[in-house]
Amino acid sequence: MLRWFEEAGASSDVIISSRIRLARNINTYPFSTRITSEQTDRMLADAGKVILTLPVAADFHDYLLEDLDEVQKEALVERNVISRYLEKQEKAMFFASEDEKNTIMLNEEDHIRIQCIESGLNLREAYKRAGYLDDCIGKEITYAYDDNFGYLTTCPSNVGTGMKASLMMHLPALGNSRKIQDLISEVGHFGINMKGLYGEDGTGCGHIYQISNQKTMGQTEEEIIANLENIAQQISGQERECRRQVLKNDRSKLEDEIYKSYGILKYSRRLKFKDAMLFLSELRLGLSLGLLEFQEKTDFIVYQLMIGIQPANLKLIAQKDASEDVLEEIRARFIRENLPLIN
Amino acid sequence: MLRWFEEAGASSDVIISSRIRLARNINTYPFSTRITSEQTDRMLADAGKVILTLPVAADFHDYLLEDLDEVQKEALVERNVISRYLEKQEKAMFFASEDEKNTIMLNEEDHIRIQCIESGLNLREAYKRAGYLDDCIGKEITYAYDDNFGYLTTCPSNVGTGMKASLMMHLPALGNSRKIQDLISEVGHFGINMKGLYGEDGTGCGHIYQISNQKTMGQTEEEIIANLENIAQQISGQERECRRQVLKNDRSKLEDEIYKSYGILKYSRRLKFKDAMLFLSELRLGLSLGLLEFQEKTDFIVYQLMIGIQPANLKLIAQKDASEDVLEEIRARFIRENLPLIN
């Protein structure tokens, strides 16, 4: 069973994944800011039992946060299976489908968080599944809901639909052209947040960016999704145009950069995360543009490597207590072994 | 028939080649500073005829400088077959053996310049051959010679033995350690010149250095060679010690640099000469230290690529009027096609 980051979806030249997240609370328990430890235990037991018995959750695995060690938890955060918020909770549980496309988190910032991810541009499928999970749970549990406000949530910013729709985008051409900062402020006018992922300075290490809706109220779920799709298509158009321009004006330099990146990825003995992300970004661009080709037909997905080379995921497959130095060696080996040969 | 840069000689971990050059003049013609054009014609005809009929020169090819175009001449300079001085002369001729180990130049700074090159540390063999050529020519031509001074030459710095012995050395570890500048001034105290080759700033692009004797008078040929060998062995010892230290303290980083260099060389689509020299230098170091291994047994010599990627030699095999941009592409392709696969 392929996980969402092991397959390519629609518009995958630019869009890596689509995610829908729904925030829900149980009306019989205080919100997380006021809930006691004992109430949390009961909430987890109640909600956990309901979800475990849902037919739709039959292929979900259930996890108690306390059963996982730090590396396991961190690796799940890196793979977007659970949120950073959940990982930091003292008590929590979650349910995740084997393909890691669906997660239900209990005792996150809200009692219940439903998250569905799809490869490429496919917010509608992600929303369909999240909505279905929401309906199934909502039949057994009475949500905190207000006829005027909609779903009530711990943080006011989520009240209403309780929905956050987001897209992960790969924008190497825009990123290199420095148009990206303008774009980030521009999309704000259309109610969209845009930020770089995997980087401390918000510039998006590996040119990976996330866009998401700012508001959850005053718009229907369909309107939120349509608006985000619309903005994503405009950004994608700009990125593709920018790539065309580079191809037209600087093809030889671009090809060289992409092939050099491949050579470094294929032969390095040590790689820092940030450097590896940049080289993988070049490789992803080169594959999208057809500038390089693998020797044999392959289902290789660059983002899969971007996930795999993150520290905790590397530690999981190699050595849990690996130092930064050792991790760099493990990262280089992991890439060497997983990167197909090119012509 | 292998050329000197297509084979590895003694101490080839550090020493690329040994060269002996003898300066001789014909006592019946004025030195080059005072010779007329008409006398030059006669000198070339006379000396040319003598050399053409020497049995020892039977496998030499003879060339008139004027028959060669700019790219051909420049390529010969790059391969050390002829000197930059000769290349700039209006009239000149030269004889070169097919393995490019032996050259006799006519109308260089002196009437006759004999040059013999060997791979690795082998000044004695080079001297033996140069001496033999010298004896053969000297039997037919009366050299300008003074019992007190020895051989008389155009430039006073060559008077005496008329001999310049030189070694080309690869000093990547010393070069990176910045001890090289100290070394350059230090060897001066022992009558040795040391300079970086292939670089405008004297630091030696690709960490290739040349050492040679400063004086040609007051020492016999044997003493000059023994002194140069002695200094070369001391420098080699320092270089090897420096490599051992890096291996001991920074093996993982060194391996990574070497493999990254290989990856870049193997996949680049464009390469500037200076960058390529640095990556090839890393590769040469890696092979010397056994840090990387070729998949199949091969006679591959890194310095052969260093010769091959120089502008005129590239133009010769590809396109004589290639622009700098096109040359970078040709250079990258040449390296890709000639670099064996590693494990």
Side-chain angles (χ1 to χ4, degrees):
Chain A
M1 182 181 292
L2 290 179
R3 292 180 289 184
W4 62 270
F5 52 83
E6 292 166 341
E7 56 187 20
S11 300
S12 68
D13 59 331
V14 178
I15 299 177
I16 293 173
S17 63
S18 303
R19 180 167 63 160
I20 294 289
R21 190 222 65 200
L22 300 175
R24 300 289 183 257
N25 285 281
I26 307 174
N27 76 339
T28 50
Y29 289 100
F31 286 1
S32 70
T33 39
R34 292 183 301 128
I35 199 168
T36 65
S37 175
E38 184 263 338
Q39 284 170 321
T40 302
D41 289 340
R42 275 199 290 130
M43 187 275 286
L44 287 172
D46 285 359
K49 201 163 73 185
V50 166
I51 293 162
L52 270 175
T53 53
L54 288 178
V56 72
D59 65 335
F60 281 44
H61 295 279
D62 58 302
Y63 304 88
L64 283 176
L65 196 68
E66 64 202 59
D67 289 345
L68 304 176
D69 63 33
E70 291 307 314
V71 174
Q72 289 172 318
K73 284 192 279 188
E74 185 64 28
L76 289 165
V77 173
E78 289 173 355
R79 293 208 306 278
N80 291 301
V81 175
I82 64 172
S83 65
R84 173 67 67 204
Y85 193 103
L86 191 87
E87 183 251 318
K88 294 217 176 297
Q89 291 287 64
E90 210 174 305
K91 294 174 189 168
M93 68 184 295
F94 62 95
F95 304 82
S97 61
E98 204 150 339
D99 59 9
E100 300 189 359
K101 290 183 178 179
N102 312 291
T103 312
I104 302 163
M105 290 172 254
L106 298 184
N107 200 34
E108 215 253 19
E109 187 181 281
D110 298 290
H111 297 152
I112 302 171
R113 288 266 174 121
I114 299 165
Q115 170 188 283
C116 294
I117 307 182
E118 278 293 317
S119 308
L121 178 59
N122 202 354
L123 283 169
R124 288 176 193 268
E125 174 63 23
Y127 177 60
K128 209 170 105 185
R129 272 188 295 106
Y132 184 62
L133 285 170
D134 183 35
D135 289 346
C136 294
I137 299 169
K139 275 181 193 148
E140 311 292 328
I141 283 172
T142 310
Y143 288 145
Y145 185 83
D146 177 280
D147 283 341
N148 283 322
F149 291 117
Y151 294 102
L152 302 176
T153 56
T154 304
C155 178
S157 69
N158 289 317
V159 168
T161 57
M163 183 172 96
K164 180 83 98 182
S166 60
L167 292 167
M168 200 176 345
M169 307 185 78
H170 182 223
L171 307 174
L174 285 172
N176 277 329
S177 77
R178 296 174 192 230
K179 285 183 193 163
I180 206 82
Q181 288 306 325
D182 294 344
L183 202 60
I184 288 174
S185 34
E186 209 176 299
V187 297
H189 302 311
F190 300 92
I192 301 294
N193 273 326
M194 179 168 183
K195 64 173 181 180
L197 295 179
Y198 305 118
E200 283 127 42
D201 50 1
T203 55
C205 163
H207 301 299
I208 308 284
Y209 294 83
Q210 181 181 281
I211 63 172
S212 58
N213 59 308
Q214 285 171 348
K215 290 189 295 180
T216 52
M217 217 192 303
Q219 282 182 306
T220 65
E221 285 86 348
E222 273 73 18
E223 285 167 341
I224 291 171
I225 288 174
N227 183 41
L228 191 67
E229 274 180 351
N230 180 23
I231 296 292
Q233 252 134 18
Q234 290 186 38
I235 297 175
S236 301
Q238 287 188 39
E239 169 67 21
R240 289 185 192 116
E241 178 54 29
C242 208
R243 292 181 187 182
R244 268 192 294 272
Q245 287 298 324
V246 181
L247 260 190
K248 196 176 140 200
N249 302 328
D250 251 339
R251 185 188 180 103
S252 151
K253 194 164 155 264
L254 179 66
E255 279 185 337
D256 179 51
E257 276 170 15
I258 287 165
Y259 276 92
K260 278 193 169 82
S261 296
Y262 179 86
I264 293 173
L265 289 168
K266 196 66 192 169
Y267 285 99
S268 286
R269 261 46 191 170
R270 303 182 60 139
L271 275 168
K272 291 187 198 301
F273 175 66
K274 205 175 158 180
D275 296 336
M277 284 296 279
L278 256 178
F279 299 132
L280 287 171
S281 168
E282 294 274 341
L283 177 62
R284 195 177 194 282
L285 176 63
L287 289 166
S288 286
L289 292 173
L291 292 180
L292 48 74
E293 273 183 358
F294 291 123
Q295 276 181 18
E296 288 168 20
K297 206 171 147 48
T298 165
D299 297 324
F300 176 75
I301 299 287
V302 177
Y303 188 67
Q304 190 178 346
L305 275 192
M306 288 178 164
I307 289 270
I309 62 168
Q310 292 181 72
N313 275 282
L314 279 183
K315 284 179 184 169
L316 266 195
I317 59 160
Q319 179 188 339
K320 283 203 175 171
D321 62 347
S323 67
E324 194 51 49
D325 258 19
V326 172
L327 260 197
E328 288 183 10
E329 295 180 11
I330 295 171
R331 180 175 295 120
R333 190 180 331 124
F334 179 77
I335 290 177
R336 282 204 306 281
E337 288 171 358
N338 285 285
L339 202 56
L341 288 172
I342 59 170
N343 285 318
Chain B
M1 183 182 291
L2 289 180
R3 293 180 289 186
W4 62 270
F5 51 84
E6 292 166 341
E7 55 187 21
S11 301
S12 68
D13 59 333
V14 177
I15 299 177
I16 293 173
S17 63
S18 302
R19 180 167 62 160
I20 294 288
R21 190 222 63 199
L22 301 174
R24 299 290 183 256
N25 286 280
I26 307 174
N27 76 340
T28 50
Y29 290 99
F31 286 1
S32 68
T33 37
R34 292 183 302 129
I35 200 167
T36 65
S37 176
E38 184 263 336
Q39 286 171 319
T40 302
D41 290 339
R42 277 199 289 129
M43 185 276 285
L44 287 173
D46 285 0
K49 202 163 71 182
V50 166
I51 293 163
L52 270 175
T53 54
L54 287 179
V56 70
D59 65 335
F60 281 44
H61 295 278
D62 58 302
Y63 304 87
L64 283 175
L65 196 66
E66 63 204 61
D67 290 343
L68 304 177
D69 64 31
E70 292 307 312
V71 174
Q72 288 173 318
K73 285 191 279 188
E74 184 65 28
L76 289 165
V77 174
E78 289 173 355
R79 293 209 305 279
N80 291 300
V81 175
I82 63 173
S83 65
R84 172 68 65 202
Y85 193 102
L86 191 87
E87 183 249 321
K88 294 218 176 296
Q89 291 287 64
E90 211 175 304
K91 297 174 188 169
M93 66 182 300
F94 61 94
F95 304 82
S97 61
E98 203 151 342
D99 59 7
E100 301 189 356
K101 290 183 177 178
N102 313 291
T103 313
I104 302 164
M105 289 171 257
L106 299 184
N107 199 32
E108 215 253 19
E109 187 182 277
D110 298 290
H111 298 151
I112 302 172
R113 288 265 173 119
I114 299 166
Q115 170 188 282
C116 295
I117 306 182
E118 278 292 319
S119 308
L121 178 60
N122 201 354
L123 284 169
R124 290 176 191 269
E125 175 62 23
Y127 177 61
K128 209 170 102 187
R129 274 188 294 107
Y132 183 62
L133 286 170
D134 183 36
D135 289 347
C136 294
I137 298 168
K139 275 182 193 147
E140 311 292 330
I141 284 172
T142 310
Y143 289 144
Y145 185 85
D146 178 280
D147 283 342
N148 285 321
F149 290 117
Y151 294 101
L152 302 176
T153 55
T154 304
C155 178
S157 68
N158 289 317
V159 169
T161 56
M163 183 173 96
K164 179 83 98 184
S166 61
L167 292 168
M168 199 177 344
M169 308 185 77
H170 183 222
L171 307 174
L174 285 172
N176 277 329
S177 78
R178 297 174 192 228
K179 285 183 194 164
I180 207 81
Q181 288 307 327
D182 294 345
L183 201 60
I184 287 173
S185 35
E186 210 175 297
V187 297
H189 303 310
F190 300 92
I192 300 294
N193 273 327
M194 179 168 184
K195 63 173 181 181
L197 296 179
Y198 305 117
E200 283 125 45
D201 51 359
T203 54
C205 166
H207 302 299
I208 308 283
Y209 294 83
Q210 181 181 279
I211 63 172
S212 58
N213 58 309
Q214 285 170 347
K215 289 188 296 181
T216 52
M217 217 191 305
Q219 280 183 307
T220 64
E221 285 85 347
E222 276 72 18
E223 285 168 342
I224 291 171
I225 288 173
N227 183 41
L228 191 66
E229 276 180 349
N230 181 22
I231 296 293
Q233 253 135 18
Q234 289 184 38
I235 297 175
S236 302
Q238 286 187 40
E239 169 67 21
R240 290 184 190 115
E241 177 54 29
C242 210
R243 292 180 186 182
R244 268 192 293 273
Q245 286 298 323
V246 180
L247 261 190
K248 197 177 138 198
N249 302 328
D250 250 338
R251 184 187 181 105
S252 150
K253 194 165 154 263
L254 180 66
E255 279 186 337
D256 179 51
E257 275 170 15
I258 287 164
Y259 275 92
K260 277 193 170 79
S261 297
Y262 178 86
I264 293 173
L265 290 167
K266 196 67 192 167
Y267 284 98
S268 286
R269 259 51 190 167
R270 304 181 60 140
L271 275 168
K272 291 185 197 302
F273 174 67
K274 204 175 158 181
D275 295 336
M277 284 295 280
L278 255 179
F279 298 132
L280 287 170
S281 168
E282 293 274 342
L283 177 62
R284 194 177 194 283
L285 176 63
L287 290 166
S288 287
L289 292 173
L291 291 181
L292 47 77
E293 273 183 357
F294 290 123
Q295 274 180 18
E296 288 167 20
K297 208 170 146 47
T298 165
D299 297 325
F300 176 77
I301 299 286
V302 177
Y303 189 66
Q304 191 178 342
L305 275 192
M306 288 177 164
I307 290 270
I309 61 168
Q310 291 180 71
N313 275 281
L314 278 184
K315 284 179 185 169
L316 267 196
I317 58 158
Q319 179 188 339
K320 282 203 176 171
D321 61 347
S323 66
E324 194 51 50
D325 257 20
V326 172
L327 261 195
E328 288 183 10
E329 294 180 11
I330 295 172
R331 181 174 293 119
R333 194 180 329 126
F334 180 78
I335 291 177
R336 280 204 307 281
E337 288 171 358
N338 285 285
L339 201 56
L341 288 173
I342 58 170
N343 286 320

